[in-house]
Amino acid sequence: MAVLRAIANHTSGRIGGAIILLYLLLAIAGAVGLTPHDPLQQFRIDRLYPPTGNYLMGTDLFGRDVLSRLMLAIGQSFVIAFLSVAFATIAGTIIGLVAAWYGAVWDGVLMRFMDVLLAFPAILLALLVVAIAGPGTLTSVTAIGLVYTPIFARVVRGPALSLKNRDFVDAARTFGSSQFYILTRHLLLNLVAPLTVQVTLALAWALLTEAALSFLGLGTQPPAPSLGVMLSESRNLMETAPWLMIFPGLVIMLGILGFNLFGDALRDVLDPRLQRRAP
């Protein structure tokens, strides 16, 4: 509760939290069918209809309501972002803890493999995975999760190397605690703060990467709405129907901004080394 109060008193935390909450509400509303129109239904007579009272964000080339499709697309993009970051968090945490705890050969092999993955640009590595496995939602989750696993591995490994030599860890060994108990109850619990901040920031990157994959036709496949797919479909209509590009682009931009602002607030609140007051 103290953390939540501190974030609520942080300007970036309030703005970022409000954006994320709004997106979650829109995603839930889209998932349960509380959209102004059917996102997949085509109204041919209303093709490329500009924003009006009936269609607040206009319609696309097939007469589908843009607002309704955006609500569904936000949910789709959020699901992929959350699943991929969960994958990266679990895999990266395990790799980082094992590398730090066992050291020597394990540390060298695991972290050099992470260095190889980090050598590739994020979108290029994701494209490589999708090219091998084929486009689709599950492939997007795997590709994005693999891209960001090395980041979490490094976030965990550094502090874990310091923590494993602390007195409370030596005391746990003296009392006969198992390695699994020490790793989960002593090391991992002390890494919750940096991991939480990294998760929040990684969600912004995952949202952008998912949109990029969908834009290239390698993520969510039509007719299912996705932010990247909607941007891709608007490329040839930028002059005649600019709202088809503007609204999905704004949704992506604000979503990334919300996660970044919330992550900055979390960093300020959870990191005791930062002495500056929240703005």
Side-chain angles (χ1 to χ4, degrees):
M1 292 302 294
V3 173
L4 293 178
R5 285 195 298 269
I7 293 176
N9 292 326
H10 196 291
T11 303
S12 295
R14 288 197 300 270
I15 298 174
I19 294 174
I20 295 172
L21 180 60
L22 175 61
Y23 274 44
L24 288 175
L25 292 176
L26 289 174
I28 293 172
V32 299
L34 297 178
T35 55
H37 302 277
D38 187 338
L40 302 179
Q41 186 175 357
Q42 301 179 12
F43 299 94
R44 296 283 182 172
I45 194 173
D46 292 332
R47 291 173 64 249
L48 300 180
Y49 210 74
T52 60
N54 191 30
Y55 300 110
L56 296 179
M57 294 185 178
T59 61
D60 62 8
L61 183 61
F62 301 101
R64 297 172 298 191
D65 180 44
V66 173
L67 175 58
S68 300
R69 289 179 62 77
L70 277 177
M71 293 172 66
L72 208 59
I74 290 172
Q76 176 75 6
S77 297
F78 266 44
V79 167
I80 294 177
F82 277 102
L83 289 178
S84 59
V85 170
F87 172 86
T89 303
I90 295 172
T93 299
I94 293 174
I95 292 172
L97 284 176
V98 170
W101 183 257
Y102 292 103
V105 176
W106 281 100
D107 188 24
V109 172
L110 290 174
M111 298 317 295
R112 295 301 75 75
F113 180 62
M114 294 295 101
D115 289 341
V116 171
L117 294 181
L118 283 172
F120 290 91
I123 188 63
L124 182 60
L125 182 57
L127 286 173
L128 177 63
V129 175
V130 174
I132 295 173
T137 300
L138 183 59
T139 305
S140 296
V141 171
T142 305
I144 298 172
L146 183 62
V147 164
Y148 296 115
T149 293
I151 297 175
F152 282 94
R154 288 202 166 276
V155 167
V156 169
R157 174 182 174 272
L161 283 173
S162 175
L163 288 171
K164 77 172 187 177
N165 296 319
R166 299 286 292 274
D167 291 340
F168 62 85
V169 174
D170 293 335
R173 289 196 187 100
T174 303
F175 284 109
S177 300
S178 65
Q179 291 184 359
F180 180 79
Y181 182 88
I182 295 174
L183 287 172
T184 55
R185 296 298 297 273
H186 293 286
L187 267 65
L188 187 56
L189 284 181
N190 282 282
L191 295 171
V192 169
L195 275 175
T196 303
V197 175
Q198 189 60 44
V199 164
T200 309
L201 298 176
L203 285 170
W205 305 335
L207 188 65
L208 182 60
T209 306
E210 188 278 331
L213 289 176
S214 297
F215 180 85
L216 296 173
L218 300 174
T220 303
Q221 299 298 297
S226 171
L227 298 175
V229 170
M230 295 179 71
L231 272 180
S232 179
E233 293 174 345
S234 69
R235 284 180 298 174
N236 299 325
L237 300 167
M238 292 174 58
E239 295 183 0
T240 57
W243 60 87
L244 296 179
M245 176 192 65
I246 292 174
F247 290 121
L250 285 175
V251 168
I252 295 173
M253 183 194 73
L254 288 176
I256 295 172
L257 177 65
F259 281 119
N260 279 329
L261 289 176
F262 194 77
D264 288 343
L266 272 177
R267 180 199 59 200
D268 292 344
V269 170
L270 296 177
D271 193 342
R273 292 171 298 180
L274 296 176
Q275 300 298 321
R276 67 182 181 87
R277 287 183 175 273

